[in-house]
PDB file of all heavy atoms in Angstrom:
ATOM      1  N   SER X 145     -98.786 -11.917 -21.338  1.00 98.00           N
ATOM      2  CA  SER X 145     -98.589 -12.565 -20.045  1.00 98.00           C
ATOM      3  C   SER X 145     -98.319 -14.054 -20.194  1.00 98.00           C
ATOM      4  O   SER X 145     -97.619 -14.648 -19.354  1.00 98.00           O
ATOM      5  CB  SER X 145     -99.807 -12.336 -19.151  1.00 98.00           C
ATOM      6  OG  SER X 145     -99.548 -12.785 -17.834  1.00 98.00           O
ATOM      7  N   LEU X 146     -98.842 -14.683 -21.246  1.00 98.00           N
ATOM      8  CA  LEU X 146     -98.529 -16.091 -21.488  1.00 98.00           C
ATOM      9  C   LEU X 146     -97.024 -16.275 -21.685  1.00 98.00           C
ATOM     10  O   LEU X 146     -96.440 -17.272 -21.242  1.00 98.00           O
ATOM     11  CB  LEU X 146     -99.280 -16.611 -22.712  1.00 98.00           C
ATOM     12  CG  LEU X 146    -100.804 -16.722 -22.619  1.00 98.00           C
ATOM     13  CD1 LEU X 146    -101.363 -17.383 -23.868  1.00 98.00           C
ATOM     14  CD2 LEU X 146    -101.230 -17.499 -21.384  1.00 98.00           C
ATOM     15  N   LYS X 147     -96.398 -15.313 -22.322  1.00 97.00           N
ATOM     16  CA  LYS X 147     -94.948 -15.384 -22.535  1.00 97.00           C
ATOM     17  C   LYS X 147     -94.204 -15.332 -21.202  1.00 97.00           C
ATOM     18  O   LYS X 147     -93.222 -16.050 -20.993  1.00 97.00           O
ATOM     19  CB  LYS X 147     -94.503 -14.250 -23.451  1.00 97.00           C
ATOM     20  CG  LYS X 147     -95.058 -14.331 -24.861  1.00 97.00           C
ATOM     21  CD  LYS X 147     -94.621 -13.136 -25.707  1.00 97.00           C
ATOM     22  CE  LYS X 147     -95.228 -13.192 -27.098  1.00 97.00           C
ATOM     23  NZ  LYS X 147     -94.856 -12.011 -27.922  1.00 97.00           N
ATOM     24  N   VAL X 148     -94.672 -14.493 -20.305  1.00 98.00           N
ATOM     25  CA  VAL X 148     -94.026 -14.392 -18.995  1.00 98.00           C
ATOM     26  C   VAL X 148     -94.236 -15.682 -18.200  1.00 98.00           C
ATOM     27  O   VAL X 148     -93.323 -16.161 -17.511  1.00 98.00           O
ATOM     28  CB  VAL X 148     -94.576 -13.178 -18.224  1.00 98.00           C
ATOM     29  CG1 VAL X 148     -94.048 -13.158 -16.798  1.00 98.00           C
ATOM     30  CG2 VAL X 148     -94.216 -11.882 -18.945  1.00 98.00           C
ATOM     31  N   ALA X 149     -95.435 -16.252 -18.301  1.00 98.00           N
ATOM     32  CA  ALA X 149     -95.692 -17.526 -17.611  1.00 98.00           C
ATOM     33  C   ALA X 149     -94.743 -18.610 -18.113  1.00 98.00           C
ATOM     34  O   ALA X 149     -94.222 -19.413 -17.323  1.00 98.00           O
ATOM     35  CB  ALA X 149     -97.145 -17.943 -17.830  1.00 98.00           C
ATOM     36  N   ARG X 150     -94.510 -18.612 -19.409  1.00 98.00           N
ATOM     37  CA  ARG X 150     -93.560 -19.578 -19.970  1.00 98.00           C
ATOM     38  C   ARG X 150     -92.131 -19.306 -19.488  1.00 98.00           C
ATOM     39  O   ARG X 150     -91.350 -20.238 -19.243  1.00 98.00           O
ATOM     40  CB  ARG X 150     -93.621 -19.536 -21.488  1.00 98.00           C
ATOM     41  CG  ARG X 150     -94.823 -20.275 -22.063  1.00 98.00           C
ATOM     42  CD  ARG X 150     -94.951 -20.102 -23.558  1.00 98.00           C
ATOM     43  NE  ARG X 150     -95.581 -21.264 -24.179  1.00 98.00           N
ATOM     44  CZ  ARG X 150     -95.909 -21.333 -25.465  1.00 98.00           C
ATOM     45  NH1 ARG X 150     -95.669 -20.297 -26.265  1.00 98.00           N
ATOM     46  NH2 ARG X 150     -96.468 -22.428 -25.949  1.00 98.00           N
ATOM     47  N   GLN X 151     -91.798 -18.037 -19.330  1.00 98.00           N
ATOM     48  CA  GLN X 151     -90.479 -17.692 -18.819  1.00 98.00           C
ATOM     49  C   GLN X 151     -90.294 -18.199 -17.387  1.00 98.00           C
ATOM     50  O   GLN X 151     -89.197 -18.620 -17.008  1.00 98.00           O
ATOM     51  CB  GLN X 151     -90.273 -16.182 -18.867  1.00 98.00           C
ATOM     52  CG  GLN X 151     -90.103 -15.621 -20.274  1.00 98.00           C
ATOM     53  CD  GLN X 151     -90.118 -14.096 -20.298  1.00 98.00           C
ATOM     54  OE1 GLN X 151     -90.180 -13.455 -19.255  1.00 98.00           O
ATOM     55  NE2 GLN X 151     -90.056 -13.526 -21.495  1.00 98.00           N
ATOM     56  N   LEU X 152     -91.369 -18.174 -16.602  1.00 98.00           N
ATOM     57  CA  LEU X 152     -91.297 -18.700 -15.242  1.00 98.00           C
ATOM     58  C   LEU X 152     -90.937 -20.184 -15.249  1.00 98.00           C
ATOM     59  O   LEU X 152     -90.168 -20.656 -14.399  1.00 98.00           O
ATOM     60  CB  LEU X 152     -92.636 -18.488 -14.523  1.00 98.00           C
ATOM     61  CG  LEU X 152     -92.939 -17.070 -14.043  1.00 98.00           C
ATOM     62  CD1 LEU X 152     -94.408 -16.932 -13.661  1.00 98.00           C
ATOM     63  CD2 LEU X 152     -92.049 -16.706 -12.856  1.00 98.00           C
ATOM     64  N   LEU X 153     -91.516 -20.927 -16.188  1.00 98.00           N
ATOM     65  CA  LEU X 153     -91.209 -22.350 -16.283  1.00 98.00           C
ATOM     66  C   LEU X 153     -89.741 -22.598 -16.629  1.00 98.00           C
ATOM     67  O   LEU X 153     -89.189 -23.656 -16.291  1.00 98.00           O
ATOM     68  CB  LEU X 153     -92.098 -23.014 -17.341  1.00 98.00           C
ATOM     69  CG  LEU X 153     -93.602 -23.041 -17.068  1.00 98.00           C
ATOM     70  CD1 LEU X 153     -94.339 -23.669 -18.242  1.00 98.00           C
ATOM     71  CD2 LEU X 153     -93.912 -23.810 -15.779  1.00 98.00           C
ATOM     72  N   GLU X 154     -89.110 -21.630 -17.286  1.00 97.00           N
ATOM     73  CA  GLU X 154     -87.719 -21.763 -17.713  1.00 97.00           C
ATOM     74  C   GLU X 154     -86.746 -21.141 -16.717  1.00 97.00           C
ATOM     75  O   GLU X 154     -85.558 -21.009 -16.988  1.00 97.00           O
ATOM     76  CB  GLU X 154     -87.535 -21.101 -19.091  1.00 97.00           C
ATOM     77  CG  GLU X 154     -88.297 -21.794 -20.209  1.00 97.00           C
ATOM     78  CD  GLU X 154     -87.785 -23.212 -20.451  1.00 97.00           C
ATOM     79  OE1 GLU X 154     -86.566 -23.431 -20.316  1.00 97.00           O
ATOM     80  OE2 GLU X 154     -88.607 -24.092 -20.776  1.00 97.00           O
ATOM     81  N   THR X 155     -87.275 -20.745 -15.547  1.00 98.00           N
ATOM     82  CA  THR X 155     -86.457 -20.088 -14.532  1.00 98.00           C
ATOM     83  C   THR X 155     -86.357 -21.000 -13.310  1.00 98.00           C
ATOM     84  O   THR X 155     -87.342 -21.588 -12.873  1.00 98.00           O
ATOM     85  CB  THR X 155     -87.082 -18.732 -14.129  1.00 98.00           C
ATOM     86  OG1 THR X 155     -87.223 -17.918 -15.293  1.00 98.00           O
ATOM     87  CG2 THR X 155     -86.222 -18.014 -13.105  1.00 98.00           C
ATOM     88  N   GLU X 156     -85.171 -21.110 -12.756  1.00 98.00           N
ATOM     89  CA  GLU X 156     -84.999 -21.919 -11.543  1.00 98.00           C
ATOM     90  C   GLU X 156     -85.691 -21.238 -10.360  1.00 98.00           C
ATOM     91  O   GLU X 156     -85.759 -20.004 -10.308  1.00 98.00           O
ATOM     92  CB  GLU X 156     -83.505 -22.115 -11.235  1.00 98.00           C
ATOM     93  CG  GLU X 156     -82.768 -22.965 -12.247  1.00 98.00           C
ATOM     94  CD  GLU X 156     -83.192 -24.435 -12.233  1.00 98.00           C
ATOM     95  OE1 GLU X 156     -84.095 -24.807 -11.453  1.00 98.00           O
ATOM     96  OE2 GLU X 156     -82.625 -25.190 -13.036  1.00 98.00           O
ATOM     97  N   PRO X 157     -86.245 -22.049  -9.456  1.00 98.00           N
ATOM     98  CA  PRO X 157     -86.100 -23.498  -9.324  1.00 98.00           C
ATOM     99  C   PRO X 157     -87.089 -24.342 -10.139  1.00 98.00           C
ATOM    100  O   PRO X 157     -87.083 -25.567 -10.004  1.00 98.00           O
ATOM    101  CB  PRO X 157     -86.323 -23.723  -7.825  1.00 98.00           C
ATOM    102  CG  PRO X 157     -87.245 -22.625  -7.420  1.00 98.00           C
ATOM    103  CD  PRO X 157     -86.882 -21.439  -8.257  1.00 98.00           C
ATOM    104  N   PHE X 158     -87.915 -23.704 -10.993  1.00 98.00           N
ATOM    105  CA  PHE X 158     -88.838 -24.497 -11.803  1.00 98.00           C
ATOM    106  C   PHE X 158     -88.128 -25.271 -12.916  1.00 98.00           C
ATOM    107  O   PHE X 158     -88.459 -26.421 -13.201  1.00 98.00           O
ATOM    108  CB  PHE X 158     -89.911 -23.605 -12.429  1.00 98.00           C
ATOM    109  CG  PHE X 158     -91.094 -23.350 -11.549  1.00 98.00           C
ATOM    110  CD1 PHE X 158     -91.512 -22.058 -11.264  1.00 98.00           C
ATOM    111  CD2 PHE X 158     -91.809 -24.401 -11.006  1.00 98.00           C
ATOM    112  CE1 PHE X 158     -92.601 -21.823 -10.450  1.00 98.00           C
ATOM    113  CE2 PHE X 158     -92.904 -24.173 -10.175  1.00 98.00           C
ATOM    114  CZ  PHE X 158     -93.297 -22.875  -9.897  1.00 98.00           C
ATOM    115  N   LYS X 159     -87.185 -24.640 -13.561  1.00 97.00           N
ATOM    116  CA  LYS X 159     -86.625 -25.182 -14.798  1.00 97.00           C
ATOM    117  C   LYS X 159     -86.193 -26.641 -14.669  1.00 97.00           C
ATOM    118  O   LYS X 159     -86.476 -27.483 -15.544  1.00 97.00           O
ATOM    119  CB  LYS X 159     -85.443 -24.325 -15.258  1.00 97.00           C
ATOM    120  CG  LYS X 159     -84.863 -24.776 -16.595  1.00 97.00           C
ATOM    121  CD  LYS X 159     -83.749 -23.836 -17.046  1.00 97.00           C
ATOM    122  CE  LYS X 159     -83.193 -24.274 -18.394  1.00 97.00           C
ATOM    123  NZ  LYS X 159     -82.117 -23.363 -18.864  1.00 97.00           N
ATOM    124  N   SER X 160     -85.508 -26.971 -13.607  1.00 97.00           N
ATOM    125  CA  SER X 160     -84.993 -28.333 -13.445  1.00 97.00           C
ATOM    126  C   SER X 160     -86.067 -29.319 -12.986  1.00 97.00           C
ATOM    127  O   SER X 160     -85.830 -30.537 -12.986  1.00 97.00           O
ATOM    128  CB  SER X 160     -83.834 -28.343 -12.451  1.00 97.00           C
ATOM    129  OG  SER X 160     -84.241 -27.814 -11.205  1.00 97.00           O
ATOM    130  N   LYS X 161     -87.236 -28.816 -12.612  1.00 97.00           N
ATOM    131  CA  LYS X 161     -88.297 -29.692 -12.096  1.00 97.00           C
ATOM    132  C   LYS X 161     -89.416 -29.941 -13.106  1.00 97.00           C
ATOM    133  O   LYS X 161     -90.206 -30.870 -12.939  1.00 97.00           O
ATOM    134  CB  LYS X 161     -88.911 -29.085 -10.824  1.00 97.00           C
ATOM    135  CG  LYS X 161     -87.926 -28.930  -9.681  1.00 97.00           C
ATOM    136  CD  LYS X 161     -88.588 -28.315  -8.462  1.00 97.00           C
ATOM    137  CE  LYS X 161     -87.599 -28.166  -7.315  1.00 97.00           C
ATOM    138  NZ  LYS X 161     -88.231 -27.577  -6.103  1.00 97.00           N
ATOM    139  N   ILE X 162     -89.513 -29.108 -14.144  1.00 97.00           N
ATOM    140  CA  ILE X 162     -90.608 -29.213 -15.110  1.00 97.00           C
ATOM    141  C   ILE X 162     -90.334 -30.344 -16.095  1.00 97.00           C
ATOM    142  O   ILE X 162     -89.238 -30.472 -16.646  1.00 97.00           O
ATOM    143  CB  ILE X 162     -90.796 -27.883 -15.855  1.00 97.00           C
ATOM    144  CG1 ILE X 162     -91.234 -26.793 -14.883  1.00 97.00           C
ATOM    145  CG2 ILE X 162     -91.799 -28.037 -16.985  1.00 97.00           C
ATOM    146  CD1 ILE X 162     -92.550 -27.074 -14.179  1.00 97.00           C
ATOM    147  N   SER X 163     -91.359 -31.146 -16.320  1.00 96.00           N
ATOM    148  CA  SER X 163     -91.259 -32.241 -17.275  1.00 96.00           C
ATOM    149  C   SER X 163     -91.704 -31.810 -18.661  1.00 96.00           C
ATOM    150  O   SER X 163     -90.950 -31.939 -19.630  1.00 96.00           O
ATOM    151  CB  SER X 163     -92.105 -33.426 -16.807  1.00 96.00           C
ATOM    152  OG  SER X 163     -92.154 -34.448 -17.785  1.00 96.00           O
ATOM    153  N   ASP X 164     -92.933 -31.259 -18.767  1.00 95.00           N
ATOM    154  CA  ASP X 164     -93.457 -30.915 -20.091  1.00 95.00           C
ATOM    155  C   ASP X 164     -94.513 -29.831 -19.970  1.00 95.00           C
ATOM    156  O   ASP X 164     -95.289 -29.804 -19.008  1.00 95.00           O
ATOM    157  CB  ASP X 164     -94.060 -32.160 -20.750  1.00 95.00           C
ATOM    158  CG  ASP X 164     -94.447 -31.921 -22.204  1.00 95.00           C
ATOM    159  OD1 ASP X 164     -93.764 -31.113 -22.876  1.00 95.00           O
ATOM    160  OD2 ASP X 164     -95.426 -32.534 -22.658  1.00 95.00           O
ATOM    161  N   GLU X 165     -94.532 -28.930 -20.921  1.00 96.00           N
ATOM    162  CA  GLU X 165     -95.612 -27.946 -21.017  1.00 96.00           C
ATOM    163  C   GLU X 165     -96.744 -28.588 -21.814  1.00 96.00           C
ATOM    164  O   GLU X 165     -96.589 -28.899 -22.995  1.00 96.00           O
ATOM    165  CB  GLU X 165     -95.132 -26.674 -21.723  1.00 96.00           C
ATOM    166  CG  GLU X 165     -96.231 -25.636 -21.890  1.00 96.00           C
ATOM    167  CD  GLU X 165     -95.831 -24.472 -22.780  1.00 96.00           C
ATOM    168  OE1 GLU X 165     -94.774 -23.867 -22.502  1.00 96.00           O
ATOM    169  OE2 GLU X 165     -96.553 -24.204 -23.752  1.00 96.00           O
ATOM    170  N   ILE X 166     -97.880 -28.788 -21.177  1.00 94.00           N
ATOM    171  CA  ILE X 166     -98.984 -29.463 -21.866  1.00 94.00           C
ATOM    172  C   ILE X 166    -100.002 -28.487 -22.441  1.00 94.00           C
ATOM    173  O   ILE X 166    -100.721 -28.826 -23.375  1.00 94.00           O
ATOM    174  CB  ILE X 166     -99.675 -30.489 -20.945  1.00 94.00           C
ATOM    175  CG1 ILE X 166    -100.213 -29.833 -19.672  1.00 94.00           C
ATOM    176  CG2 ILE X 166     -98.721 -31.616 -20.606  1.00 94.00           C
ATOM    177  CD1 ILE X 166    -100.989 -30.809 -18.792  1.00 94.00           C
ATOM    178  N   LEU X 167    -100.096 -27.291 -21.898  1.00 95.00           N
ATOM    179  CA  LEU X 167    -100.926 -26.229 -22.482  1.00 95.00           C
ATOM    180  C   LEU X 167    -100.190 -24.904 -22.332  1.00 95.00           C
ATOM    181  O   LEU X 167     -99.706 -24.608 -21.236  1.00 95.00           O
ATOM    182  CB  LEU X 167    -102.297 -26.142 -21.782  1.00 95.00           C
ATOM    183  CG  LEU X 167    -103.336 -27.210 -22.116  1.00 95.00           C
ATOM    184  CD1 LEU X 167    -104.604 -26.969 -21.306  1.00 95.00           C
ATOM    185  CD2 LEU X 167    -103.671 -27.218 -23.598  1.00 95.00           C
ATOM    186  N   PRO X 168    -100.109 -24.094 -23.376  1.00 96.00           N
ATOM    187  CA  PRO X 168    -100.568 -24.330 -24.745  1.00 96.00           C
ATOM    188  C   PRO X 168     -99.847 -25.479 -25.451  1.00 96.00           C
ATOM    189  O   PRO X 168    -100.317 -25.980 -26.464  1.00 96.00           O
ATOM    190  CB  PRO X 168    -100.269 -23.014 -25.448  1.00 96.00           C
ATOM    191  CG  PRO X 168    -100.050 -22.005 -24.394  1.00 96.00           C
ATOM    192  CD  PRO X 168     -99.495 -22.755 -23.228  1.00 96.00           C
ATOM    193  N   GLY X 169     -98.671 -25.894 -24.941  1.00 94.00           N
ATOM    194  CA  GLY X 169     -97.840 -26.878 -25.619  1.00 94.00           C
ATOM    195  C   GLY X 169     -96.737 -26.188 -26.393  1.00 94.00           C
ATOM    196  O   GLY X 169     -96.943 -25.124 -26.995  1.00 94.00           O
ATOM    197  N   ARG X 170     -95.566 -26.757 -26.381  1.00 93.00           N
ATOM    198  CA  ARG X 170     -94.406 -26.097 -26.962  1.00 93.00           C
ATOM    199  C   ARG X 170     -94.563 -25.835 -28.466  1.00 93.00           C
ATOM    200  O   ARG X 170     -93.909 -24.947 -29.016  1.00 93.00           O
ATOM    201  CB  ARG X 170     -93.148 -26.933 -26.712  1.00 93.00           C
ATOM    202  CG  ARG X 170     -92.830 -27.102 -25.228  1.00 93.00           C
ATOM    203  CD  ARG X 170     -91.543 -27.882 -25.017  1.00 93.00           C
ATOM    204  NE  ARG X 170     -91.354 -28.258 -23.623  1.00 93.00           N
ATOM    205  CZ  ARG X 170     -90.810 -27.487 -22.700  1.00 93.00           C
ATOM    206  NH1 ARG X 170     -90.418 -26.271 -23.023  1.00 93.00           N
ATOM    207  NH2 ARG X 170     -90.664 -27.924 -21.464  1.00 93.00           N
ATOM    208  N   ALA X 171     -95.429 -26.604 -29.123  1.00 93.00           N
ATOM    209  CA  ALA X 171     -95.610 -26.432 -30.578  1.00 93.00           C
ATOM    210  C   ALA X 171     -96.306 -25.125 -30.922  1.00 93.00           C
ATOM    211  O   ALA X 171     -96.165 -24.605 -32.036  1.00 93.00           O
ATOM    212  CB  ALA X 171     -96.404 -27.601 -31.153  1.00 93.00           C
ATOM    213  N   LEU X 172     -97.050 -24.571 -29.978  1.00 93.00           N
ATOM    214  CA  LEU X 172     -97.754 -23.312 -30.240  1.00 93.00           C
ATOM    215  C   LEU X 172     -96.862 -22.143 -29.853  1.00 93.00           C
ATOM    216  O   LEU X 172     -96.638 -21.883 -28.666  1.00 93.00           O
ATOM    217  CB  LEU X 172     -99.073 -23.248 -29.447  1.00 93.00           C
ATOM    218  CG  LEU X 172    -100.160 -24.270 -29.784  1.00 93.00           C
ATOM    219  CD1 LEU X 172    -101.448 -23.944 -29.030  1.00 93.00           C
ATOM    220  CD2 LEU X 172    -100.432 -24.307 -31.273  1.00 93.00           C
ATOM    221  N   GLN X 173     -96.376 -21.427 -30.828  1.00 93.00           N
ATOM    222  CA  GLN X 173     -95.469 -20.316 -30.582  1.00 93.00           C
ATOM    223  C   GLN X 173     -95.904 -19.037 -31.289  1.00 93.00           C
ATOM    224  O   GLN X 173     -95.649 -17.938 -30.783  1.00 93.00           O
ATOM    225  CB  GLN X 173     -94.049 -20.676 -31.020  1.00 93.00           C
ATOM    226  CG  GLN X 173     -93.434 -21.827 -30.241  1.00 93.00           C
ATOM    227  CD  GLN X 173     -93.129 -21.466 -28.791  1.00 93.00           C
ATOM    228  OE1 GLN X 173     -92.941 -20.288 -28.453  1.00 93.00           O
ATOM    229  NE2 GLN X 173     -93.076 -22.468 -27.920  1.00 93.00           N
ATOM    230  N   ASP X 174     -96.541 -19.150 -32.442  1.00 95.00           N
ATOM    231  CA  ASP X 174     -96.896 -17.942 -33.197  1.00 95.00           C
ATOM    232  C   ASP X 174     -98.141 -17.284 -32.607  1.00 95.00           C
ATOM    233  O   ASP X 174     -98.955 -17.920 -31.935  1.00 95.00           O
ATOM    234  CB  ASP X 174     -97.124 -18.286 -34.672  1.00 95.00           C
ATOM    235  CG  ASP X 174     -98.303 -19.225 -34.879  1.00 95.00           C
ATOM    236  OD1 ASP X 174     -98.131 -20.450 -34.645  1.00 95.00           O
ATOM    237  OD2 ASP X 174     -99.394 -18.746 -35.220  1.00 95.00           O
ATOM    238  N   GLU X 175     -98.273 -15.994 -32.889  1.00 94.00           N
ATOM    239  CA  GLU X 175     -99.341 -15.171 -32.320  1.00 94.00           C
ATOM    240  C   GLU X 175    -100.723 -15.702 -32.679  1.00 94.00           C
ATOM    241  O   GLU X 175    -101.625 -15.746 -31.838  1.00 94.00           O
ATOM    242  CB  GLU X 175     -99.193 -13.726 -32.826  1.00 94.00           C
ATOM    243  CG  GLU X 175     -99.979 -12.706 -32.030  1.00 94.00           C
ATOM    244  CD  GLU X 175     -99.180 -12.145 -30.861  1.00 94.00           C
ATOM    245  OE1 GLU X 175     -98.088 -12.664 -30.552  1.00 94.00           O
ATOM    246  OE2 GLU X 175     -99.661 -11.193 -30.247  1.00 94.00           O
ATOM    247  N   GLU X 176    -100.909 -16.118 -33.908  1.00 95.00           N
ATOM    248  CA  GLU X 176    -102.230 -16.589 -34.351  1.00 95.00           C
ATOM    249  C   GLU X 176    -102.650 -17.856 -33.607  1.00 95.00           C
ATOM    250  O   GLU X 176    -103.794 -17.984 -33.152  1.00 95.00           O
ATOM    251  CB  GLU X 176    -102.220 -16.850 -35.854  1.00 95.00           C
ATOM    252  CG  GLU X 176    -103.573 -17.275 -36.414  1.00 95.00           C
ATOM    253  CD  GLU X 176    -103.545 -17.471 -37.924  1.00 95.00           C
ATOM    254  OE1 GLU X 176    -102.527 -17.118 -38.553  1.00 95.00           O
ATOM    255  OE2 GLU X 176    -104.541 -17.990 -38.466  1.00 95.00           O
ATOM    256  N   SER X 177    -101.728 -18.793 -33.441  1.00 96.00           N
ATOM    257  CA  SER X 177    -102.040 -20.041 -32.738  1.00 96.00           C
ATOM    258  C   SER X 177    -102.334 -19.786 -31.261  1.00 96.00           C
ATOM    259  O   SER X 177    -103.261 -20.376 -30.682  1.00 96.00           O
ATOM    260  CB  SER X 177    -100.878 -21.025 -32.868  1.00 96.00           C
ATOM    261  OG  SER X 177    -100.662 -21.383 -34.203  1.00 96.00           O
ATOM    262  N   LEU X 178    -101.569 -18.893 -30.652  1.00 97.00           N
ATOM    263  CA  LEU X 178    -101.791 -18.585 -29.243  1.00 97.00           C
ATOM    264  C   LEU X 178    -103.102 -17.837 -29.034  1.00 97.00           C
ATOM    265  O   LEU X 178    -103.787 -18.032 -28.026  1.00 97.00           O
ATOM    266  CB  LEU X 178    -100.621 -17.783 -28.688  1.00 97.00           C
ATOM    267  CG  LEU X 178     -99.319 -18.573 -28.520  1.00 97.00           C
ATOM    268  CD1 LEU X 178     -98.174 -17.651 -28.126  1.00 97.00           C
ATOM    269  CD2 LEU X 178     -99.487 -19.688 -27.489  1.00 97.00           C
ATOM    270  N   ALA X 179    -103.470 -16.976 -29.991  1.00 97.00           N
ATOM    271  CA  ALA X 179    -104.751 -16.272 -29.900  1.00 97.00           C
ATOM    272  C   ALA X 179    -105.905 -17.267 -29.966  1.00 97.00           C
ATOM    273  O   ALA X 179    -106.897 -17.140 -29.228  1.00 97.00           O
ATOM    274  CB  ALA X 179    -104.868 -15.240 -31.016  1.00 97.00           C
ATOM    275  N   LYS X 180    -105.791 -18.257 -30.852  1.00 97.00           N
ATOM    276  CA  LYS X 180    -106.826 -19.294 -30.940  1.00 97.00           C
ATOM    277  C   LYS X 180    -106.898 -20.088 -29.649  1.00 97.00           C
ATOM    278  O   LYS X 180    -107.990 -20.385 -29.140  1.00 97.00           O
ATOM    279  CB  LYS X 180    -106.538 -20.210 -32.120  1.00 97.00           C
ATOM    280  CG  LYS X 180    -107.602 -21.276 -32.333  1.00 97.00           C
ATOM    281  CD  LYS X 180    -107.287 -22.137 -33.558  1.00 97.00           C
ATOM    282  CE  LYS X 180    -108.357 -23.198 -33.757  1.00 97.00           C
ATOM    283  NZ  LYS X 180    -108.046 -24.064 -34.933  1.00 97.00           N
ATOM    284  N   PHE X 181    -105.733 -20.419 -29.092  1.00 97.00           N
ATOM    285  CA  PHE X 181    -105.680 -21.138 -27.814  1.00 97.00           C
ATOM    286  C   PHE X 181    -106.361 -20.323 -26.717  1.00 97.00           C
ATOM    287  O   PHE X 181    -107.132 -20.865 -25.909  1.00 97.00           O
ATOM    288  CB  PHE X 181    -104.227 -21.423 -27.440  1.00 97.00           C
ATOM    289  CG  PHE X 181    -104.027 -21.828 -26.015  1.00 97.00           C
ATOM    290  CD1 PHE X 181    -104.334 -23.106 -25.592  1.00 97.00           C
ATOM    291  CD2 PHE X 181    -103.531 -20.918 -25.076  1.00 97.00           C
ATOM    292  CE1 PHE X 181    -104.157 -23.484 -24.267  1.00 97.00           C
ATOM    293  CE2 PHE X 181    -103.352 -21.289 -23.753  1.00 97.00           C
ATOM    294  CZ  PHE X 181    -103.667 -22.573 -23.349  1.00 97.00           C
ATOM    295  N   ALA X 182    -106.081 -19.027 -26.674  1.00 97.00           N
ATOM    296  CA  ALA X 182    -106.689 -18.173 -25.653  1.00 97.00           C
ATOM    297  C   ALA X 182    -108.209 -18.179 -25.777  1.00 97.00           C
ATOM    298  O   ALA X 182    -108.932 -18.236 -24.772  1.00 97.00           O
ATOM    299  CB  ALA X 182    -106.148 -16.756 -25.764  1.00 97.00           C
ATOM    300  N   GLY X 183    -108.708 -18.126 -27.003  1.00 97.00           N
ATOM    301  CA  GLY X 183    -110.153 -18.164 -27.216  1.00 97.00           C
ATOM    302  C   GLY X 183    -110.773 -19.474 -26.784  1.00 97.00           C
ATOM    303  O   GLY X 183    -111.921 -19.510 -26.313  1.00 97.00           O
ATOM    304  N   GLN X 184    -110.017 -20.560 -26.907  1.00 95.00           N
ATOM    305  CA  GLN X 184    -110.519 -21.882 -26.540  1.00 95.00           C
ATOM    306  C   GLN X 184    -110.488 -22.129 -25.034  1.00 95.00           C
ATOM    307  O   GLN X 184    -111.225 -22.992 -24.538  1.00 95.00           O
ATOM    308  CB  GLN X 184    -109.678 -22.959 -27.236  1.00 95.00           C
ATOM    309  CG  GLN X 184    -109.834 -22.997 -28.747  1.00 95.00           C
ATOM    310  CD  GLN X 184    -108.802 -23.899 -29.408  1.00 95.00           C
ATOM    311  OE1 GLN X 184    -107.725 -24.152 -28.860  1.00 95.00           O
ATOM    312  NE2 GLN X 184    -109.117 -24.374 -30.607  1.00 95.00           N
ATOM    313  N   THR X 185    -109.646 -21.404 -24.304  1.00 96.00           N
ATOM    314  CA  THR X 185    -109.440 -21.720 -22.889  1.00 96.00           C
ATOM    315  C   THR X 185    -109.784 -20.595 -21.920  1.00 96.00           C
ATOM    316  O   THR X 185    -109.809 -20.830 -20.703  1.00 96.00           O
ATOM    317  CB  THR X 185    -107.972 -22.123 -22.646  1.00 96.00           C
ATOM    318  OG1 THR X 185    -107.114 -21.050 -23.064  1.00 96.00           O
ATOM    319  CG2 THR X 185    -107.623 -23.386 -23.405  1.00 96.00           C
ATOM    320  N   VAL X 186    -110.039 -19.384 -22.398  1.00 97.00           N
ATOM    321  CA  VAL X 186    -110.316 -18.289 -21.473  1.00 97.00           C
ATOM    322  C   VAL X 186    -111.523 -18.622 -20.603  1.00 97.00           C
ATOM    323  O   VAL X 186    -112.513 -19.180 -21.069  1.00 97.00           O
ATOM    324  CB  VAL X 186    -110.531 -16.963 -22.235  1.00 97.00           C
ATOM    325  CG1 VAL X 186    -111.772 -17.006 -23.117  1.00 97.00           C
ATOM    326  CG2 VAL X 186    -110.602 -15.786 -21.264  1.00 97.00           C
ATOM    327  N   LYS X 187    -111.419 -18.302 -19.327  1.00 96.00           N
ATOM    328  CA  LYS X 187    -112.494 -18.568 -18.388  1.00 96.00           C
ATOM    329  C   LYS X 187    -112.621 -17.420 -17.394  1.00 96.00           C
ATOM    330  O   LYS X 187    -111.715 -16.600 -17.251  1.00 96.00           O
ATOM    331  CB  LYS X 187    -112.259 -19.867 -17.629  1.00 96.00           C
ATOM    332  CG  LYS X 187    -111.005 -19.855 -16.760  1.00 96.00           C
ATOM    333  CD  LYS X 187    -110.802 -21.146 -15.987  1.00 96.00           C
ATOM    334  CE  LYS X 187    -111.731 -21.264 -14.805  1.00 96.00           C
ATOM    335  NZ  LYS X 187    -111.426 -20.265 -13.739  1.00 96.00           N
ATOM    336  N   THR X 188    -113.739 -17.389 -16.727  1.00 96.00           N
ATOM    337  CA  THR X 188    -113.979 -16.353 -15.736  1.00 96.00           C
ATOM    338  C   THR X 188    -113.072 -16.526 -14.520  1.00 96.00           C
ATOM    339  O   THR X 188    -112.662 -17.638 -14.189  1.00 96.00           O
ATOM    340  CB  THR X 188    -115.443 -16.385 -15.273  1.00 96.00           C
ATOM    341  OG1 THR X 188    -115.663 -15.379 -14.275  1.00 96.00           O
ATOM    342  CG2 THR X 188    -115.813 -17.733 -14.673  1.00 96.00           C
TER     343      THR X 188
END
């Protein structure tokens, strides 16, 4: 679902309005890094 959320940011009318992805951040792309991110940020 994180991938789909990122796709939303790349879809108009969002695409032309978005400045920067701050979380997870564009540098995090591989499965292992995203899994670690999910563990650090998951909430109820």
Side-chain angles (χ1 to χ4, degrees):
S145 189
L146 293 186
K147 295 178 182 178
V148 173
R150 282 174 150 175
Q151 289 171 4
L152 284 166
L153 295 177
E154 294 296 325
T155 303
E156 293 292 2
F158 274 126
K159 184 176 181 179
S160 57
K161 298 179 180 181
I162 295 300
S163 173
D164 188 32
E165 178 189 307
I166 58 176
L167 284 179
R170 298 183 190 275
L172 296 187
Q173 296 291 335
D174 64 281
E175 196 89 351
E176 183 178 351
S177 297
L178 289 173
K180 183 178 180 181
F181 165 77
Q184 293 170 336
T185 58
V186 65
K187 63 179 284 292
T188 179

